[in-house]
């Protein structure tokens, strides 16, 4: 609060209040009167008035406006009664002294007023400084808070107010977003870990299978060095390793699909593109089953993940092949019904049991489980039903939606 | 160029073993490398006619091999990968690979792909026929005419453009982005639906069985390929 030498000239916000202040003011005035009275003849009354003014001013500074007013009135009374002629009487006949007394009263009033205002301003300033410091401390503590309970504990320690409220709100939001960021970070990390495990598992499983499939096929191709029985065995090993590789692929795919956070690459696709590719992939597996495709040439584009939808079609066709005797036809149909399209793979065999849709530890179950998982992420589902004329249909629907338009302005007429 | 040399860059000994046997049976001369660095060294030294590359090599990513090799060589390159994600295939093809096989693969299939790659290369070197025949279709690029069963087929300018881009590289997988850039321009490289609609139209006009095409083939999630 400044240097000590001029301390007494400072405002005293912590000065005594109430009756004590008035008594002190009176005592100070009486003291000044008592000390100056013996010498007032030599000093002259003007100087005595100066001393009284000083005393009143200090009273205003230290004791406040009202005690200083009392001091001023008392000083005027003392001056009038003891110092100003006629002594020991309240009335004065000299205009000089009347002016002197009135001016002194006015000065006392004004200084008291000024001092009081200063005091009030100072008090307000100190209070606001205290509030600011409290907010600053609170902000510092809040910055260190790591949990909502800590924020609540800090809030309880400090006075409430608009500024404190917004500080608390900011702290709570900070914690909230930190929590969200942490959660999403954990999720991203676990997703990344999962993908990298699946990826290295895929590599580690496929590499020996590739060698096995390739070695047996090569041996089989160079058949002349083997006896027919050995040829058969090599072919069987090859077949089994291809089957194993297929199963590993499907298992890994199912693992990827069931992680629940699959990234869909949805685009507007032509169904015929996907079915054609699925047929190519199946290759000779379909050779013994005449395939009837019923996809209209003007079939609309649909929004789906082409790679996954190719698996659905491929798995359904494979399933139909697996469960029907050679020579029976398989139908792949697609038609628009209202606001959606229905795609069905139907066979004419005895059909797989309709209850066989749950994931079971057999090959067909795996394929269908993959279909179900893929259709689920597309918001669709697989429906298996027995056909009245024998055979089974596996159907699913996809929404028609609004395919993007194509700008054909620059492609008119025929060049050939 | 080393007429019938094949460079096999693969870190798995057993896979190299059967590849060598199968390739030598086709009278190829086989060069083997198990790392990107040694593979690039052999490619520079012997200038093989074909390269078979495994994407997962111990010292560096196979994509790096493709990028560096393409600085000086356009040798036909077939990629093998145990990763089944289509983004990997697209990345390899966009980097300059010509074809792609996922592990495990059939040896017969591999040999057929290699023959197609070689045939295309030799054709490009020896002669440039304006006329291409597939199924009942004859495409005469000099006269810009297409006939099927002897009858004239009408194509729009873009249909024709797309067809010729595909015909120019038989057997090679062209990614969706490559085709869109070539036919529609860089501004349309994300408009996959354009391609699907036009491929569909070409199949309707040229394929015997449009729903089960034999020549304009889809590589799902990757792009398209023309097969002779």
């Amino acid at each position: 609060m400044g240097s000590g030498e001029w301390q007494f000239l400072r405002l005293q916000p912590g000065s005594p209040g109430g009756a004590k202040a008035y008594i002190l003011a009176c005592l100070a005035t009486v003291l000044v009167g008592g000390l100056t009275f013996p010498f007032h003849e030599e000093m002259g009354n003007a100087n005595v008035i100066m001393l009284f003014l000083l005393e009143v001013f200090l009273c205003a500074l230290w004791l406040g406006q009202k005690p200083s007013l009392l001091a001023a009135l008392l000083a005027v009374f003392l001056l009038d009664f003891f110092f100003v002629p006629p002594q020991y009487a309240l009335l004065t006949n000299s205009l000089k002294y009347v002016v002197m007394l009135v001016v002194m009263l006015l000065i006392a009033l004004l200084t008291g007023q000024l001092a009081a205002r200063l005091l009030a301003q100072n008090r307000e300033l100190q209070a606001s400084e205290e509030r600011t410091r409290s907010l600053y401390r609170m902000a510092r503590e809040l910055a260190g808070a790591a949990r909502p309970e800590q924020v609540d504990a800090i809030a309880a320690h400090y006075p409430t107010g608009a500024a404190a409220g917004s500080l608390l709100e900011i702290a709570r939001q900070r914690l909230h977003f930190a929590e969200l960021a942490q959660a999403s970070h954990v999720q991203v990390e676990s997703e990344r870990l999962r993908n990298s495990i699946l990826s290295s598992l895929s590599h580690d499983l496929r590499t020996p299978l590739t060698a096995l499939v390739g070695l047996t096929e090569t041996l089989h191709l160079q058949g002349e060095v083997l006896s027919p029985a050995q040829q058969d065995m090599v072919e069987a090993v090859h077949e089994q390793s291809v089957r194993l590789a297929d199963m590993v692929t499907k298992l890994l795919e199912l693992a990827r699909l069931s992680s629940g956070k699959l990234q869909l690459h949805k685009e507007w696709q032509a169904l015929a593109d996907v079915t054609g590719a699925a047929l190519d992939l199946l290759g000779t597996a379909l050779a013994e089953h005449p395939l009837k495709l019923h996809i209209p040439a003007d079939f609309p584009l649909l929004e789906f993940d082409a790679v996954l939808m190719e698996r659905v079609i491929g798995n359904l066709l494979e399933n139909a092949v697996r469960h029907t005797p050679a020579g029976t036809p398989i139908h792949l149909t697609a038609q628009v019904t209202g606001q959606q399209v229905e795609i069905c793979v139907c066979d004419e065999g005895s059909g797989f049991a309709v209850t066989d849709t749950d994931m079971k530890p057999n090959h067909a179950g795996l394929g269908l489980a993959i279909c179900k998982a893929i259709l689920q992420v597309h918001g669709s589902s697989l429906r298996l039903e027995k056909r009245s004329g024998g055979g089974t249909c596996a159907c699913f629907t996809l929404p028609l939606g609004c395919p993007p338009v194509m700008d054909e302005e620059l492609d008119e007429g025929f060049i050939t | 160029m080393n007429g019938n040399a094949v460079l096999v860059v693969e870190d798995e000994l057993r896979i190299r073993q059967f590849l060598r046997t199968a390739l030598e049976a086709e009278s190829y001369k086989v060069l083997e490398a198990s790392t990107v660095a040694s593979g690039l060294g052999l490619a520079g030294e012997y200038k093989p006619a074909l390269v078979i590359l495994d994407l997962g090599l111990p010292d560096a990513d196979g994509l790096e091999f493709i990028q560096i090799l393409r600085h000086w060589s356009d040798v036909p390159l077939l990629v093998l990968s145990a990763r089944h994600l289509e983004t990997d295939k697209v990345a390899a093809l966009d980097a300059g690979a010509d074809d792609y096989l996922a592990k495990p693969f059939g040896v017969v299939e591999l040999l057929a792909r290699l023959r197609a790659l070689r045939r295309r290369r030799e054709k490009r070197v020896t002669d440039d026929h304006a006329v291409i025949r597939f199924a009942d279709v004859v495409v005469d690029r000099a006269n810009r005419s297409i006939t099927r069963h002897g009858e004239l087929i009408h194509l729009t300018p873009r249909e024709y453009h797309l067809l010729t881009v595909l015909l120019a590289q038989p057997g090679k997988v062209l990614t969706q982005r490559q085709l869109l850039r070539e036919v529609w321009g860089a501004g349309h490289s994300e408009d996959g639906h354009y391609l699907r609609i036009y491929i569909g139209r070409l199949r309707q006009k040229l394929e015997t069985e449009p729903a089960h095409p034999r020549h304009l083939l889809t590589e799902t999630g990757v792009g398209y390929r023309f097969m002779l």
Side-chain angles (χ1 to χ4, degrees), chain A residues 133 155 215 248 304 310 328 354 370 372-373 395 397 411:
Chain A
R133 257 187 297 166
L215 286 166
V248 163
F304 53 73
E310 183 194 291
T328 57
V354 172
I370 289 172
K372 290 181 84 175
C395 299
T397 57
D411 192 26

Side-chain angles (χ1 to χ4, degrees), chain A residues 199 202-203 206-207 209-215 217-218 221-222 245 249 256 265 267-270 272-277 279-280 291 293 295 297 301 306-307 310-311 404-408 410-416, chain B residues 12 14-15 17-18 21-22 25 56 82-86 103-108 144-146 152-160 176 192-194 196-199 201 203-205 209 211-213 217-218 220-221 224:
Chain A
S199 168
S202 169
H203 179 267
R206 277 189 232 274
T207 302
L209 281 167
T210 305
L212 194 58
V213 169
L215 286 166
E217 191 181 350
T218 312
L221 287 175
Q222 301 187 313
T249 303
R256 204 164 61 87
H265 296 284
E267 276 185 58
W268 289 93
Q269 303 282 357
D273 255 10
V274 172
T275 54
L279 293 177
D280 275 352
L291 188 74
L293 288 167
I295 303 176
L301 293 186
V307 175
E310 183 194 291
R311 305 272 202 283
V405 287
M406 187 169 60
D407 180 13
E408 288 195 85
L410 298 168
D411 192 26
E412 284 169 346
F414 295 113
I415 59 153
T416 61
Chain B
E12 182 66 26
R14 293 299 175 197
I15 296 178
Q17 186 187 352
F18 80 76
T21 313
R83 290 176 293 189
H84 269 213
L85 293 178
E86 271 62 26
K103 287 181 180 178
F105 53 88
V107 174
V108 173
R144 308 229 297 178
S145 79
I146 295 155
L152 211 58
I153 301 283
H154 299 289
L155 295 186
T156 68
R158 268 204 220 287
E159 286 169 1
Y160 182 76
Q176 182 171 310
H193 57 284
Y194 280 38
R196 276 159 218 132
I197 292 170
Y198 271 80
I199 291 278
R201 290 181 188 168
R203 283 179 182 150
Q204 292 294 336
K205 291 180 181 179
E209 201 182 343
H212 191 181
L217 304 183
T218 308
T220 307
Y224 293 91

